[in-house]
Amino acid sequence: MSGVKGAAGQDLRHDSAIKQVMGRADYTDDIALPEGALHAYLGLAQIAAGRIVSMDLSAVEAAPGVIGVLTAKDVPGVNDVSPTGRHDEPLLAEDRVEFHGQALFAVVAETRDAARRAAELAKVDYAPEAHVTDVAEALAADYPHVTEPLTLRRGDAAAAMADAPKRIKGQMRVGGQDHMYLEGHIALAIPGEDETVEVWASTQHPSEAQHMVAHVLGVPSNAVVVQVRRMGGGFGGKESQMNLFCAVAAMAAKKWGAAVKIRPDRDQDMIATGKRPDRDQDMIATGKRHDFLVDYEVGFDETGRILAVDGEFAARCGWSSDLSGPVTDRALFHADNAYYYPAAELRSRPMKTNTVSNTAFRGFGGPQGVIAAERMVEEIAYALGRDPLDIRKANFYGVHGDVTPYHQTVEDNIMPRVVEELEASADYQARRAAVLAHNAKGGVTRKGIALTPVKFGISFTATWFNQAGALVHVYNDGSIMLNHGGTEMGQGLNTKMAQVVADAFQVDVDKVRITKTTTEKVPNTSATAASSGSDLNGMAALDACAQIKARLVSWATEAWGVGEEAVRFAENQVHVGDEVLPFAEFIKQAYMARVHLSAAGFYKTPKIHWDRETGQGRPFYYFAYGAALAEVTIDTLTGEYEVDRVDVLHDVGRSLNPVLDKGQVEGAFVQGMGWLTTEELWWDDEGRLRTHAPSTYKIPLASDMPKEFNVRLADWSENAERTIKRSKAVGEPPFMLGISVFEALSMAVASVGDYRECPRLDAPATPECVLMAVERLRG
Amino acid sequence: MTRPPLRTHIRFRLNEREVMREAVAASDTLLDFLRLEQRLTGSKEGCAEGDCGACTVLVGRLVGDALVYEPVNACIRFLASLDGCHVVTVEHLRGPEGALHPVQQAMVDHHGSQCGFCTPGIVMALYGLWMRVPHPTRREVEVALQGNLCRCTGYRPIIDAAMSIEAAGEDFLAAERDTVTAELMTWRDGARVEVARDGSRAVLPGDVDDLAACLEAEPEARVIAGATDVGLWVTKHLRALPVAVFVGHLEGLKQIEDGAEAIRIGAGVTYSEAEGAMGAALPHLAPYFERIAGWQVRNMGTIGGNIANGSPIGDMPPVLIALGATITLRKGAARREIALEDFFVDYGKQDRAPGEFVEAITVPKPGGFHAAYKVSKRRDEDISTVAAGIHVAVEGGKITAARIAYGGMAAVPKRAAAAEAILIGAPFGAAAFEAAAEAVAEDFAPLTDMRASAEYRMRVAQNLLRRFWIEQGADGEVAA
């Protein structure tokens, strides 16, 4: 047991908690603006697809307070912000519109209000063309893929399917999801000397923003600094989507030699057309979770054992590729969830649509794969008249095999233990019997109960992203500064990283300071994404600490004439032979002896490799596991429902900070539940997103939280791989636990048809979706 | 009628000091004033439409001689409407001797913040709750937080925090209550207030008679009560407000008279103010109030405003129409009373003459059976997919009167004439309600939009009549 305050493994509050409750934690919009700062605002396309015949911005430029406008022609470098370098995402539209809400121009004015008003005055003539917003329509219209599809193949799926005693074919629609981070996108660019510019932004990926701004400005990356202190939520929505705002602000700042801030509104009216307000610039102009249309066929035997799976995963990618390649890949990687498929063929269809380009969102395609696997389990259970949990247990990895459809062997499987523990601790069997008994009474309210597992692969599937840097300075008063490449969006990454450093030097955590993330301190970082923040940056920070400690030990052995084993860091002190020095005193002496007290640490994840051509490899370093048990009640007259109770058991390995990890699990669960229940993206016939702001797009409220909500971490678990303190990633995996609510709703619906038929709910299961399914099953 | 004196500035207390302003546009919002002018950046702009609560502040105002603090959304609260009030922002919150306030401390202790962007607003809403209910139930916390979104935590730690706030000595606002009350009292001069900036003028009449005079003189003026609708015209539609007449401060529009036969509600009574009296007079409405918006909006929005704006999806009109409510319209000294359903002529068109305003709503208390239903995509703080008010009177086992009104089913809140006709005279039984449910299809042709399909709306509207029978039938048969 460590004797220092806040060492790794201890419960420690978020390092900004006190500032946050006082309203003194500053976000990008709270930064005091430099003298003469200007404000930019985007003008967006008003059609879903077509050609721009002419764009007359004279009224915009003449509006009060306007300094000028920027169009594609004003881009000094390359008019492209495609994060994967596919060159398919112009910053500002050139001659074509690909979705309703695409950025056409930016107006820069003395105030934000003036810029917003002026942006409404553009006169744009379009030659509209037919558009497609829906995945099924895109498939029917033979729309192109935005990026190369992937196929995963193991065994002969067609032959195994043909031989299977039973087969079920089905289709499932899975809706997208808006991030609805409470803080919207924002960037503040401050021009510097020569070609330099400094950008403050709400970004999960400062390095990408840096490179993208440089690309758009036509300057080298060393001319651009991007920094972020904290975000008001990210969830993947600020991994590539801030490029647009950073680039526009930087362009304007350089052009007019003034600081420029850009903050899209949650909503914006179309005064010119006199229509109802239906525009939310943040929600309309930035990407979301991909909607999927999944066609599945599963072959199985009378015992419920899966023999073959064929799945086609078509995604609404939007107008450009953005991150749709890796997102749709990850859907396939998780189409097995926790189950062994003896033979499988899984294909992705990253479809172009005339909608905003969809992007990263917690789980990154994984949830859409997992929910398809769980649908197939449900299908088998209803077909055989069995409890879906029995089907799950019969197919877990380890029962009949351990190799995934991408040919990675599952080596760290703890799924059966997690599920068995939850089944017992949450009293699943008795509660399921009670639910069945309630439903047998045949009343207006019906209940459902479901226990669903999740297994989630950890690592970026783009192997090169699995690297991180950190910079540690020990100042000569013994205080420590850490900079790492990760960003703080509420998950408590900085808190955990400080704990790692405190643990390494054996000093109280309040001796360690972490401030903003900046590309000046740590270069070429990866996005804080894929749940990797602690895994990658923690190891990099540890490496930096190890380097400094090695120098300190080397110096001490020489200075005191002792062996290396005689130098020990413990409890804010350093033991050197028989002598015990306070840490600060030890550091002071080291400084006087000219020991280098700063180090850049580095880490790259070992063991992983992935060959996309063959669909084989080891894309994941390890897996995280969890399970949730949900019980719900539905109202068969209106389709409304309540989540009565949820029990969760989740694996975070040996937790770096249990209380923060529990917060991640709870928050992810509720967000996952929202995705599958009330969060609905709805486009009208003109291709406009009409659920565009919290008034129309409904994320869970406090009153939607399960009436009883018991979340436990599997405290016995430790990572089989040598991760930071044997912990596991926690950001994304518990998101998929929300599927338990979806399946419990399904069971409640199935009760009206006496469980003879799988209700095949589409997601989200809004009250409307539930009622319509009830009516359908009643026949 | 004597004209009240004229004052050309607003004055209010912001945290610990007095603010006086002459150059104020009707469309200036409190949040912009706080963030841009005062650099009080603790209140955040999350949605600018009163839905997320990140900008929640407390507004204290005199009710009679008592100082009452309520959480409101600064984003859609117009600055001019704060004349005579005390605005308390998160920056002002504090505990004894430099410590955190107990509400803040509980949020820290329970790990109630992650990204922290919603946190100041949640702290302020919980502070507003704690002032009234130091030891709330979980349900009370949920209701108090209906207007606050958090995307990170899943709310569990926030609810736990709210339920375990420990007082630490006298609260700072309680300690200064007498001083602040006295200050606000001295400012209460009964004057008409007029302030303006950049072609946008705000008028705060001195009393209801003065309001009538203002509107007669300037019939094109926009009347603003709670601003929970008009606020969005400004923040979202960027619409201009050349002249706005604010009425939220008028005591004369805040009277509630609970008589034997009917309850009369002044048009300026907020949902929060109406909830207690109307819920007591008409118990079926009590749970319905909790389904209307979030707490911040209920503290601002008024019953009169919900009617006067003519929305087809307002929550109050269907349930009031079912009760046979009438409204008093006033122009100058002239008043007329009409049935509420007759006020709604068509989409965007009401029976209101220029210069005329809704002064009061009279809600009868008919005997018989009542229900008020609201169905929405998300249970709380959502706009109705379908709302319904149902009233049925039964004598000798027969239905003698039926009034059924729906919102969300047509361009205006509307009665279900065919369904009512089937019920009246029929035996009070399942068959009558089944037939009435079928007849709803003749009464309405609802729309498909982002909230629901036409098919779902129709099915729900029908099922709510079936629900009415299931819920009330057994008692009804006994009563009959």
Side-chain angles (χ1 to χ4, degrees), chain A residues 20 27 30 635 699 703 768, chain B residues 44 115 378 380 453 467:
Chain A
Q20 287 167 341
Y27 301 79
D30 303 330
D635 177 333
I699 70 170
S703 52
E768 170 165 356
Chain B
K44 308 300 181 191
C115 88
R378 185 178 66 194
D380 290 331
S453 68
R467 151 144 311 149

Side-chain angles (χ1 to χ4, degrees), chain A residues 20 27 30 116 178-179 263 266-267 635 637-638 666-667 679-680 695 699-700 703 707 768, chain B residues 35 39 44-46 49 113 115 138 151-152 155-156 235-236 377-380 453 456 463 467:
Chain A
Q20 287 167 341
Y27 301 79
D30 303 330
R116 282 183 76 192
D178 189 78
H179 305 84
R263 175 165 68 86
R266 286 274 187 212
D267 207 324
D635 177 333
L637 288 174
T638 59
E666 290 169 341
E679 295 185 35
E680 187 174 27
S695 52
I699 70 170
S703 52
K707 294 291 158 255
E768 170 165 356
Chain B
R35 289 186 58 85
R39 289 282 305 146
K44 308 300 181 191
E45 183 179 315
E49 59 179 3
S113 66
C115 88
R138 173 161 170 189
R151 192 53 153 167
C152 296
Y155 302 99
R156 196 275 311 159
T235 62
K236 302 274 159 172
K377 200 181 286 182
R378 185 178 66 194
R379 186 173 55 252
D380 290 331
S453 68
Y456 176 71
N463 281 353
R467 151 144 311 149

